[in-house]
Amino acid sequence: MTSPLRTPLYDEHLAREARMVPFAGWSMPLHYGSQIAEHHAVRQGVGMFDVSHMRVFDAEGAGATDFLRTVFAGDVARLAAGRALYGVLLNENAGIIDDAIVYRTDGGYRVVSNAGTSERVHSWLLHHLGDDTRLQPRRDLAMLAVQGPRAIACLHEATGFDAAHLPRFAFAWHEGSMVARTGYTGEDGVEVLVPAVDAASLWRRLADAGAVPAGLGARDTLRLEAGLNLHGHDMDESTPPTAVGLGWTVAWGEDDAPVRRFIGRDALERQRRPDEVLRGIVLEGRGVMREGFAVTTERGEGTVTSGIFSPTLGYSIALARLPRGSKGACGVQIRSREVPGRIVRPPFLRSNE
């Protein structure tokens, strides 16, 4: 059995007595003592995450733009240098292989995808790669996410770089690192792609500036409060983006422009109004919703795809796949009882951005 991979920050996690767990082939911190305290630190101040398990690719060459316009449902041709685009890679049936962020650099593009889908994404990109495009996995980089209302001030204190001038989904370079105004918590903040050899130093400087180390547990509760999908749970290779609230990421093109034949387009055309869609549920009785729990609505049956007890709100929230048109009251099967809930549109919590 293969041992989990270790990020460049592994020793930093051990030094802070993190509880390490296997995740997507990596040994990652679940928490550093209190998942709830880490969650609140991000909502109320500033926290930092090691997200070096994410997969990073650089795409360059004369054909890079056309290549990404084919494999990505968003249109990267719209990007100016220094800007980023969130979107999805689809298979031929319009199922989501992964969601990713594409950054337009001066020399091409940088693609950041999830750890759990990394091998499939790499194989998919290589399969569609043309001779005029180079795809380089960037295993020499680490990635830190600094998130929360104090994230920008903390980064400035730790590095001297002021990211306040960056709009959302923009990035800049600082001392060999890429600093992007992106994140997965619903809070303001940045994600920093830093040379792996410099990651531990940056981690310690951020901690000295007040950033609280946070693990996978807090990352999951934060993203769910913000109504953000998790691949392999709320979406997968069988679900089109139109079924999981990501139809807005698809660039169909202008009426007077040539049709862009991105992979999955034809199948997605037939699934613009799928029978099931992703909605939020707020539990109005006692209990905690979990993935796989059955949901009863006036339109029929559904299933919870992600569920937690929200540390910020003080009650259980969930994303669920429900029949189209479901609204109002619902029932959630928790063990042997049906607990009342209410169907809502995510996010569950408005951010401090």
Side-chain angles (χ1 to χ4, degrees), residues 29 207 351:
S351 74

Side-chain angles (χ1 to χ4, degrees), residues 181-305:
R181 199 80 176 264
T182 53
Y184 189 55
T185 63
E187 293 293 335
D188 194 8
V190 296
E191 292 175 311
V192 184
L193 286 116
V194 57
V197 295
D198 298 327
S201 172
L202 176 58
W203 182 267
R204 291 192 290 267
R205 281 182 286 147
L206 288 165
D208 289 343
V212 175
L216 294 173
R219 187 167 165 83
D220 191 52
T221 53
L222 289 160
R223 70 93 188 171
L224 192 46
E225 287 183 346
L228 301 175
N229 294 359
L230 177 62
H231 195 279
H233 299 265
D234 310 303
M235 58 184 174
D236 55 34
E237 293 193 45
S238 68
T239 52
T242 48
V244 293
L246 295 179
W248 62 271
T249 68
V250 178
W252 295 101
E254 304 297 332
D255 292 339
D256 58 348
V259 173
R260 182 173 61 97
R261 307 307 313 179
F262 61 84
I263 296 169
R265 179 180 182 125
D266 291 343
L268 190 58
E269 289 272 14
R270 299 188 294 270
Q271 301 179 73
R272 289 208 185 195
R273 290 183 57 82
D275 293 335
E276 292 187 325
V277 293
L278 202 66
R279 292 289 183 264
I281 297 178
V282 171
L283 200 65
E284 296 187 323
R286 297 184 63 180
V288 179
M289 295 178 284
R290 299 296 185 193
E291 182 177 355
F293 285 10
V295 182
T296 303
T297 79
E298 61 179 8
R299 292 292 183 112
E301 300 295 314
T303 306
V304 171
T305 57

Side-chain angles (χ1 to χ4, degrees), residues 54-60 67-68 89 98 100-103 105 109-114 117-123 125-126 134-139 141 193:
M54 303 287 280
R55 196 66 177 269
V56 183
F57 304 94
D58 284 348
E60 299 179 342
F67 163 63
L68 287 172
L89 294 89
D98 198 12
I101 297 181
V102 178
Y103 302 84
T105 64
Y109 300 88
R110 176 163 289 176
V111 181
V112 177
S113 66
N114 291 297
T117 57
S118 61
E119 294 306 318
R120 281 176 292 172
V121 169
H122 193 194
S123 296
L125 294 178
L126 289 176
R134 300 179 300 277
L135 187 71
Q136 180 184 5
R138 295 300 306 268
R139 304 181 190 276
L141 298 176
L193 286 116

Side-chain angles (χ1 to χ4, degrees), residues 61-119:
T65 298
D66 288 340
F67 163 63
L68 287 172
R69 293 187 83 215
T70 300
V71 299
F72 199 63
D75 191 354
V76 301
R78 299 177 177 181
L79 285 176
R83 302 306 296 258
L85 181 67
Y86 170 76
V88 291
L89 294 89
L90 304 179
N91 58 28
E92 288 90 345
N93 296 320
I96 300 173
I97 296 172
D98 198 12
D99 59 332
I101 297 181
V102 178
Y103 302 84
R104 180 70 181 262
T105 64
D106 289 335
Y109 300 88
R110 176 163 289 176
V111 181
V112 177
S113 66
N114 291 297
T117 57
S118 61
E119 294 306 318

